[in-house]
Amino acid sequence: MRAYKAKDNVQAKAYYTDRFYKSPQVPKSPPESDEVFNSDLEAIKSKFEVLDSFIQVEQLVVFINPKDNYGVLELMRDELEYSQLSEMSAIDWVADRGGFEVFYQLLSMNKRKRIRIKMFIKDGDALNSVEKLFRSADWSEREMFDMFGIEALGHPFMKRILMPYDWSGHPLLKTYPLQGDEAASWYEVDKIYGKEAREEIGPENRDSSRVDRYDSDRFSRLGHEVPKGTKITGDEPEVVQPYQEEGGVFLVKKFHKDSTTIVDDPQR
Amino acid sequence: MAQHKVNYTQDGGLPVALTSIDKIVNWGRSNSLWALTYGLACCGIEMMASGASRYDFDRFGTIFRASPRQADVMIVAGTLTKKHAEFIKRLYDQMTEPRWVISMGSCANTGGMFNTYATVQGVDRVIPVDLYLPGCAPRPETLQYGVMLLQQKIRSKQASKAQKAKRLM
């Protein structure tokens, strides 16, 4: 099992240390290259501030200010025929930029186009709920709150959706350890038996393939076999395990340097 | 008029079987193990297959029940999440004594490959387990064999004495 390392600075640190490595980028094209997208973008620009826009993988990406999210989505739904919110969530950039990127993925069935509305919000800031516009945002916003801790203002039931209500922490944050924090590892014990039961039940043994090298009852040490139940001290004699038994079933022919020939001619 | 006449000395002897209370109670218990329907994940599919016609658990007297109050054995088939842990304990407490638990598959045994914050690392952290079945997912034959092992275990225990209830702590 891999040892757990703190991932507080996982975003600030580059994954690749090769100084000549250039990470592949998805090519972007200007929004003017698509007629439908261009007119949609002009409609948004006429009413709201657009920070950035480009077409990527045949989808228009529009960056807006977070305070405009309800207005832009209302415009998209009512005037530009983007009738479906197929997905929305956030991307954790806390370590890098001190906040989250929230995206709304919209689909227009009439135009057969997809647009992604993106905005950047600071860590701790809340967002306007778009649940009134798109019913699918109801659960998506709850999930966003559950996983990232981003609250949606005006949501009718702003509670966790996947994790239990009394859970602590937001699991999709990059700083949240995959194997859970202290509260997570004792969650079910605390809840069912109470905190005083922690000692009796014991910590989670998360490595089911763990081999205890000092346990001769259940494990044998290959090459250093001892009888069952022997106390292991560390200086057990080595027992060589030949892979080819003398006179046994043939497995592998041993390589002898003397009986080989060196091929000089590559064209042989 | 029909004449019923049993010749006790000829037809295999007297229709009397001598046994002990332990044996006859355990015979009854082990041959009517009603299982609580507890499919939590993909192991549940194998459990359903075990109950269906090809493997046919009914012939063991193992009939799946939808209520813990009618069940003797809980087959935990699948991944137990931390959110669900309190409910498995509640259902276990609702089962009448004597009760048994089969932990089916890697996830129920140890958390399996879900070495994450949301998974209980083995149901034996929450309820006492009688039998662990390895596999991901175990074949219906494994579950079948597991039920037979549990039957053996039940038969090997005394029934007449008040059995000490299994407690995790």
Side-chain angles (χ1 to χ4, degrees), chain B residues 69-83:
Chain B
R69 298 181 194 279
Q70 298 168 353
D72 305 301
V73 56
M74 177 189 253
I75 302 174
V76 187
T79 319
L80 180 67
T81 58
K82 300 222 171 191
K83 194 178 184 178

Side-chain angles (χ1 to χ4, degrees), chain A residues 1 161-162 167 171 178-180 184 187-189 191-193 200 202-204 206, chain B residues 82-83 85-86 89 110 112 114-121 125-127 168-169:
Chain A
M1 197 168 74
I161 189 166
L162 295 171
W167 191 262
L178 173 64
Q179 298 176 0
Y187 176 81
E188 76 275 18
V189 174
K191 185 143 193 183
I192 296 170
Y193 296 107
E200 198 160 338
E204 289 173 324
R206 286 187 171 269
Chain B
K82 300 222 171 191
K83 194 178 184 178
E86 59 169 315
K89 178 71 168 70
T110 65
F114 300 105
N115 190 359
T116 65
Y117 59 90
T119 311
V120 175
Q121 302 294 302
R125 287 179 64 76
V126 183
I127 53 175
L168 201 62
M169 47 178 296

Side-chain angles (χ1 to χ4, degrees), chain B residues 59-149:
Chain B
R59 66 203 161 102
F60 293 98
T62 299
I63 298 164
F64 287 101
R65 307 300 297 178
S67 165
R69 298 181 194 279
Q70 298 168 353
D72 305 301
V73 56
M74 177 189 253
I75 302 174
V76 187
T79 319
L80 180 67
T81 58
K82 300 222 171 191
K83 194 178 184 178
H84 192 77
E86 59 169 315
F87 304 114
I88 203 171
K89 178 71 168 70
R90 192 185 297 176
L91 288 168
Y92 178 76
D93 289 344
Q94 285 177 357
M95 286 163 67
T96 48
E97 301 264 8
R99 56 198 174 192
W100 296 275
V101 175
I102 295 177
S103 162
M104 182 182 177
S106 299
C107 295
N109 293 343
T110 65
M113 64 183 206
F114 300 105
N115 190 359
T116 65
Y117 59 90
T119 311
V120 175
Q121 302 294 302
V123 283
D124 50 4
R125 287 179 64 76
V126 183
I127 53 175
V129 175
D130 291 281
L131 202 70
Y132 298 88
L133 300 185
C136 181
R139 294 267 313 161
E141 287 95 331
T142 315
L143 183 57
Q144 209 170 22
Y145 181 57
V147 169
M148 285 158 77
L149 278 182

